[in-house]
Amino acid sequence: MMAPALEIKNLTHYYYKGTKNQIAAVENVSLTVEKGETLGIIGHTGSGKSTLISHFNGLLKPDEGEVIVDGKNIFENKETLRQSRFKVGLCFQYPEYQLFEETVYKDIAFGPKNMKLPSEEIDRRVQNAAKLAGVKQELLNKSPFDLSGGEKRRAAIAGVMSMEPEVLVLDEPAAGLDPAGRLDLIKMIRHYRDVTGCTVIIVSHSMEDIARIADRVCVLANAKVAMHGTVKEVYSKGDELRSMGLNVPEITRIMLMLREKGIDVPADIYSPDDAVSAVRNYIEGRRGV
Amino acid sequence: MISEITIGQYYTGDSLLHRMDPRMKFDLTFLLVVFVFACKSFFSLALVAMFTLVAILFSSVPLKMILRSIKPIVIIILFTAVLNIIYTTGGETYFKWRSIEITEKGINTAIFMAVRIILLVVISSLLTYTTTPTSLTDAIERLLSPLSVFHIKVHTLAMMMTLALRFIPTLIEEIDRIMNAQKARGAELETGGLIARSKALVPVFIPLMVSSFRRAYELAFAMTCRCYTGGEGRTRMKQMKLRARDFLALFTVIAVIAGIFVLNHFFEAVI
Amino acid sequence: MSEKLIEFRNVTYIYETDEEDEAPSVPALDGVNLTVSKGEFLCVLGHNGSGKSTLAKMCNAILEPTDGEVIVAGMSTKEEENGDLIRRKVGMVFQNPDNQIVATIVEDDVAFGPENLGVEPSEIRRRVDEALKAVNMYDLRLRQPHNLSGGQKQRVAIAGVLAMQTEVIVLDEPTAMLDPVGRQEVLSTIHKLNKELGITVIMVTHFMEEAVDADRVIVMNAGRIVLDGTPREVFSNTAAVKSCGLDVPQSTELCSRLGVKRTVLTAQEAVEEIIKLCGGVV
């Protein structure tokens, strides 16, 4: 059997460890992400999302539990730890703040250069990543600071993609973008996944965005995994999600309200398209009776 | 982690010390620091230590927080202690090896110096623990205001200090964030020699500068929107007023200082 | 409607570029005419770069029009000496809560504005307490800003404007950096101020759901106002809204696709309409 791309076993991470204020930021979380899968992680602010993902490439060391990438415990030795940085590409929230090089090209090349790859390979990766992330060719020789907000975001994401990680982790990739920008970015990530076949993990508190891309969703609440399942399974429990401080998509909310009124539409609907056909089906069904 | 540094941090509370006029606190801290240096014997030092202890009790700042303020200077204390032990000689000799001699006087001096440094740090951190940075800069501004006669822009300086204090935690968070982002791209920030390391900091330093300039720009904008035009014509919500407790503190400190000289006079000097 | 507070008269704004080789800059605002009345809740929608932030910054004389005129309470923003007087009438809250908090203690920050205006100390105290209560932050008045959540920081910023007793509050994407909970906190605060204190609100956003409860919505595209009306009027024009790179609220979209005649704005209304479609009470 193929080893999962990423496996988290009983991971616990404390803040202020050993003091009176000790608090678990992540508590006994277990998670398996198969190769080629797209996982969405949702949770309110302070639910432990960011702390959790910082373990995926060893930026944080768990107090308890293991992080296994591609069958290997990443904390086994220095080399496995270093390899995990490249196998798991972590792209934080507002990644444009990491840009620093003179040109966009050089900035995208920063990761591969740290991997000590030969220069032709670096060039290939930069070109490829730029294309995947939707960074236009003519921007590569510009200073990253001259780009527009949306272009900066893409250049920064390309800077992680260029390491060609087996798992790409994105923390709120669409934060601060307008609706059209959000949709474009999600499309870009979907395209990246389809072309490269890579495992993708998306962290967000926008359930709409997660619904547009993920196969499976993991809901974190108060440092623990509160729910786990396919998008449909998780989104059908709208009331529970709302009690965890999460915003359920408006469409899902409408469906849930309709069900309360006795109109038997499915609860696991989160896109307007599905909702339209669900309501039509229901009406036709009643006429048929 | 960098964010664990506590020096200069305020401890929220409403104790006697918290309620004192910051100008008085600032002056008294200054006086005490100066007169700690006037202590010659263990007894006068003990008097200051006792006073400090009482002040801590009145400040409601937990002892743990106080101890934490000493932590960063432990190395300095140890280092000076070692130097004192080695270089001060006199009195009974306990140990001798080649030119190194450990004597009674050396040990006494080492202890004396260590206690002195600790007292200095504790006294000044007590000031910052019980005074908000804003009222501290306010106090400094008002204490220095006579200097404006010499065309020194005291208000501007004080405002710069307030803003610096306000943004220290924000920038520390930011550094943490940028470092993590670059480490995630394989940057090695914590290995290699001095040159390699300082070179490796470029990817952290540049984004930090860029974002600091952006912050400064936005902040200036926001301040203009709130009608800030400099110190002229400004009023203050918090008026500083000397009260009975401030004079009480003043008299206590004067008594302690007098005590230092009395004890210096009657007991043998260590240094 | 009642008294005019802010008036844009054929306003154009062009950002100056420092390099000559740049392509001739497109105007950020292009002949905008707009009147905002006292007590109104106006929502400005538009995608990034549509000119909506520029419009906001024009309201309190931070930016001066390249062409045309902005009149605030009878004063033109073009006159230098009006700047401070206008900013006493029109307060601003920005997107990034971190970059607008000046002091290290919440209540000191709220006091910053009135202090600049030279208000009496006892009066500042009264205003600060009142403002903090209005945004529901009074209990946290002695906290340090960096220990607050994004939504809380943004409410402190709003209190800072309230304490200046401005008539208008302009908010430039105040919720863009917040999580859903923080967003809700800030929105309900803004609505409360508008309803209970009668403060005129101009809110720039790109979240459609936030526009639903406004009195009036304008949609910006390429520096021009392309749609102007009540939320219901604006969102009934789904095609025009979408052509500006924006969305209509999901409830609106669902109902219009189901063939509902009325323009629906909220989930509640959508449910009512769908029940009607299904043949009334089940």
Side-chain angles (χ1 to χ4, degrees):
Chain A
M1 216 182 81
M2 219 170 34
L6 175 74
E7 217 180 337
I8 306 294
K9 282 187 184 162
N10 306 97
L11 187 144
T12 298
H13 189 95
Y14 297 107
Y15 279 148
Y16 311 110
K17 204 184 179 209
T19 69
K20 198 171 61 205
N21 300 331
Q22 173 171 321
I23 181 169
V26 177
E27 200 177 342
N28 198 17
V29 168
S30 295
L31 202 63
T32 308
V33 192
E34 300 297 340
K35 279 187 177 150
E37 186 183 27
T38 304
L39 175 76
I41 299 181
I42 35 178
H44 58 88
T45 311
S47 60
K49 293 175 293 184
S50 303
T51 312
L52 177 66
I53 61 164
S54 298
H55 285 86
F56 293 176
N57 67 349
L59 283 175
L60 285 179
K61 209 177 162 184
D63 289 310
E64 286 153 36
E66 284 174 10
V67 179
I68 296 162
V69 174
D70 206 9
K72 272 202 205 90
N73 182 342
I74 63 168
F75 294 102
E76 199 173 288
N77 57 43
K78 261 194 167 164
E79 190 44 37
T80 53
L81 184 60
R82 185 144 182 80
Q83 281 311 314
S84 76
R85 292 280 153 89
F86 306 128
K87 282 189 176 160
V88 180
L90 203 55
C91 185
F92 287 101
Q93 206 172 353
Y94 299 108
E96 52 273 31
Y97 294 149
Q98 75 191 27
L99 298 169
F100 74 99
E101 280 282 14
E102 289 156 51
T103 65
V104 174
Y105 182 96
K106 278 189 183 170
D107 208 283
I108 300 176
F110 182 67
K113 240 165 134 183
N114 286 327
M115 298 168 83
K116 314 244 159 33
L117 297 170
S119 58
E120 314 86 76
E121 174 65 8
I122 293 180
D123 184 62
R124 184 194 66 77
R125 287 187 176 209
V126 172
Q127 300 292 355
N128 192 31
K131 212 162 86 196
L132 284 171
V135 179
K136 288 189 212 95
Q137 189 68 34
E138 64 263 29
L139 297 180
L140 289 179
N141 286 321
K142 273 197 171 181
S143 157
F145 303 111
D146 289 341
L147 305 188
S148 76
E151 290 167 344
K152 274 187 199 166
R153 175 77 51 96
R154 280 161 188 270
I157 294 176
V160 177
M161 287 178 172
S162 61
M163 299 193 300
E164 304 199 343
E166 287 161 27
V167 183
L168 179 68
V169 186
L170 299 141
D171 189 357
E172 291 288 355
L177 299 179
D178 56 29
R182 277 188 105 84
L183 193 60
D184 280 351
L185 199 88
I186 296 290
K187 274 187 192 153
M188 179 271 275
I189 296 166
R190 222 157 40 191
H191 172 75
Y192 163 85
R193 177 195 61 190
D194 295 342
V195 170
T196 61
C198 275
T199 312
V200 174
I201 300 178
I202 288 211
V203 181
S204 178
H205 42 226
S206 159
M207 311 236 321
E208 269 101 339
D209 288 351
I210 297 259
R212 279 175 181 149
I213 187 166
D215 305 317
R216 237 168 13 108
V217 182
C218 164
V219 182
L220 284 185
N222 304 319
K224 292 191 195 118
V225 176
M227 263 190 239
H228 196 183
T230 62
V231 175
K232 289 203 164 206
E233 281 163 11
V234 170
Y235 284 25
S236 64
K237 295 177 192 151
D239 293 334
E240 269 177 69
L241 290 169
R242 292 183 80 183
S243 71
M244 288 176 216
L246 290 166
N247 253 3
V248 181
E250 202 169 292
I251 286 288
T252 314
R253 228 164 62 219
I254 295 171
M255 293 298 130
L256 291 172
M257 282 157 81
L258 285 172
R259 283 168 66 89
E260 247 169 58
K261 300 267 177 195
I263 295 182
D264 191 24
V265 285
D268 55 359
I269 281 175
Y270 38 83
S271 77
D273 290 336
D274 291 347
V276 169
S277 48
V279 173
R280 286 210 178 115
N281 280 343
Y282 176 81
I283 294 172
E284 269 159 36
R286 271 174 56 104
R287 279 200 196 116
V289 175
Chain B
M1 238 166 71
I2 334 175
S3 46
E4 276 170 12
I5 295 173
T6 62
I7 284 197
Q9 262 187 25
Y10 175 65
Y11 180 83
T12 313
D14 194 27
S15 71
L16 192 64
L17 254 72
H18 282 87
R19 274 177 283 152
M20 267 179 70
D21 187 312
R23 288 171 301 178
M24 184 59 91
K25 270 191 276 187
F26 191 83
D27 287 345
L28 293 185
T29 307
F30 185 73
L31 275 180
L32 276 169
V33 165
V34 168
F35 283 98
V36 163
F37 282 100
C39 291
K40 295 264 186 274
S41 77
F42 274 119
F43 290 91
S44 43
L45 210 55
L47 178 68
V48 179
M50 252 165 58
F51 170 80
T52 312
L53 210 66
V54 173
I56 292 173
L57 290 178
F58 272 115
S59 73
S60 79
V61 178
L63 214 58
K64 227 190 201 163
M65 292 281 284
I66 305 277
L67 290 178
R68 219 187 290 167
S69 67
I70 304 174
K71 221 166 106 188
I73 54 146
V74 165
I75 295 185
I76 301 175
I77 295 173
L78 289 177
F79 185 67
T80 47
V82 169
L83 286 185
N84 275 312
I85 290 178
I86 294 171
Y87 287 107
T88 322
T89 49
E92 202 178 323
T93 304
Y94 297 123
F95 174 84
K96 198 177 157 121
W97 181 72
R98 299 210 182 163
S99 62
I100 296 173
E101 207 179 338
I102 294 182
T103 64
E104 187 190 357
K105 194 163 182 227
I107 288 180
N108 277 344
T109 315
I111 296 174
F112 190 88
M113 290 300 210
V115 174
R116 193 151 88 178
I117 300 175
I118 291 171
L119 278 177
L120 290 177
V121 172
V122 171
I123 290 170
S124 34
S125 56
L126 208 50
L127 173 70
T128 52
Y129 274 139
T130 61
T131 318
T132 64
T134 327
S135 33
L136 198 63
T137 41
D138 257 17
I140 295 173
E141 182 180 348
R142 279 172 228 212
L143 288 169
L144 293 182
S145 59
L147 288 181
S148 51
V149 177
F150 305 109
H151 298 289
I152 294 172
K153 289 190 173 157
V154 179
H155 169 78
T156 313
L157 284 174
M159 181 49 86
M160 277 160 64
M161 241 168 89
T162 310
L163 291 178
L165 286 167
R166 152 74 186 86
F167 278 92
I168 285 173
T170 312
L171 289 183
I172 287 176
E173 244 177 61
E174 183 124 321
I175 293 173
D176 240 22
R177 208 165 45 216
I178 299 171
M179 276 173 76
N180 274 335
Q182 305 301 23
K183 277 195 222 162
R185 295 204 281 166
E188 296 196 54
L189 303 173
E190 277 137 15
T191 50
L194 195 63
I195 296 173
R197 267 205 220 191
S198 29
K199 245 177 140 178
L201 280 180
V202 172
V204 178
F205 186 69
I206 291 178
L208 184 68
M209 287 311 283
V210 171
S211 94
S212 299
F213 277 115
R214 186 177 39 84
R215 280 185 198 283
Y217 180 77
E218 284 181 18
L219 186 70
F221 225 79
M223 285 170 76
T224 311
C225 285
R226 291 166 78 180
C227 296
Y228 179 73
T229 48
E232 243 164 274
R234 273 198 102 212
T235 47
R236 288 302 170 82
M237 173 170 75
K238 289 177 181 162
Q239 291 296 302
M240 294 190 189
K241 220 176 173 178
L242 293 172
R243 292 170 201 277
R245 54 173 170 260
D246 297 301
F247 291 107
L248 192 71
L250 176 65
F251 288 128
T252 318
V253 170
I254 290 175
V256 169
I257 292 168
I260 291 174
F261 285 105
V262 172
L263 292 168
N264 274 350
H265 184 72
F266 285 107
F267 293 95
E268 188 194 344
V270 177
I271 49 166
Chain C
M1 267 255 235
S2 52
E3 202 183 320
K4 276 186 210 166
L5 254 184
I6 298 180
E7 202 184 347
F8 280 65
R9 289 184 192 153
N10 212 4
V11 172
T12 296
Y13 187 77
I14 299 172
Y15 280 97
E16 284 168 30
T17 47
D18 39 15
E19 281 166 66
E20 284 175 18
D21 56 359
E22 296 271 334
S25 18
V26 219
L29 288 185
D30 190 2
V32 168
N33 285 299
L34 175 70
T35 311
V36 183
S37 314
K38 203 174 165 130
E40 200 172 13
F41 192 123
L42 172 71
C43 201
V44 184
L45 292 176
H47 63 84
N48 290 346
S50 59
K52 60 189 196 303
S53 276
T54 311
L55 182 107
K57 283 174 189 151
M58 292 257 147
C59 293
N60 72 344
I62 285 287
L63 292 181
E64 278 169 30
T66 312
D67 206 19
E69 226 179 349
V70 178
I71 311 285
V72 179
M75 295 175 280
S76 166
T77 60
K78 273 202 162 166
E79 311 295 326
E80 190 101 7
E81 66 271 19
N82 286 344
D84 249 24
L85 292 172
I86 287 170
R87 287 190 276 275
R88 284 170 189 237
K89 298 251 177 210
V90 184
M92 248 187 126
V93 173
F94 297 91
Q95 186 186 80
N96 189 333
D98 268 323
N99 299 352
Q100 49 189 323
I101 293 182
V102 180
T104 45
I105 300 289
V106 166
E107 61 173 18
D108 291 350
D109 187 75
V110 178
F112 182 73
E115 284 177 345
N116 291 334
L117 298 178
V119 177
E120 277 296 302
S122 57
E123 168 67 8
I124 301 181
R125 182 79 254 177
R126 196 188 62 75
R127 286 193 193 181
V128 167
D129 289 348
E130 213 167 73
L132 282 169
K133 280 177 190 156
V135 300
N136 209 4
M137 285 291 292
Y138 186 71
D139 293 338
L140 303 179
R141 66 189 180 282
L142 294 176
R143 291 282 199 93
Q144 303 182 51
H146 66 97
N147 291 331
L148 301 179
S149 73
Q152 290 169 335
K153 281 184 213 172
Q154 212 56 314
R155 283 185 288 153
V156 171
I158 294 173
V161 173
L162 279 185
M164 291 171 72
Q165 298 191 335
T166 59
E167 287 178 47
V168 186
I169 173 165
V170 180
L171 304 107
D172 190 0
E173 299 196 41
T175 60
M177 296 181 76
L178 307 181
D179 62 6
V181 178
R183 247 165 80 185
Q184 209 42 57
E185 281 170 22
V186 170
L187 280 179
S188 55
T189 305
I190 301 170
H191 277 285
K192 188 179 137 197
L193 302 182
N194 176 251
K195 286 213 180 70
E196 290 174 13
L197 304 178
I199 293 173
T200 312
V201 173
I202 300 176
M203 183 170 74
V204 174
T205 182
H206 54 229
F207 293 110
M208 304 310 122
E209 316 86 85
E210 295 181 356
V212 166
D213 295 320
D215 296 329
R216 180 174 163 206
V217 174
I218 58 175
V219 175
M220 306 264 317
N221 195 21
R224 290 164 195 255
I225 297 177
V226 287
L227 292 169
D228 184 346
T230 63
R232 222 173 280 281
E233 286 161 7
V234 167
F235 289 131
S236 65
N237 208 336
T238 311
V241 172
K242 287 203 166 179
S243 73
C244 297
L246 301 173
D247 260 330
V248 296
Q250 286 190 334
S251 303
T252 316
E253 177 166 0
L254 175 62
C255 288
S256 84
R257 283 174 60 183
L258 284 171
V260 175
K261 293 257 160 39
R262 176 164 86 116
T263 305
V264 160
L265 290 180
T266 62
Q268 190 61 47
E269 289 174 1
V271 170
E272 285 163 21
E273 290 298 330
I274 292 172
I275 289 177
K276 270 190 222 155
L277 277 185
C278 294
V281 189
V282 200

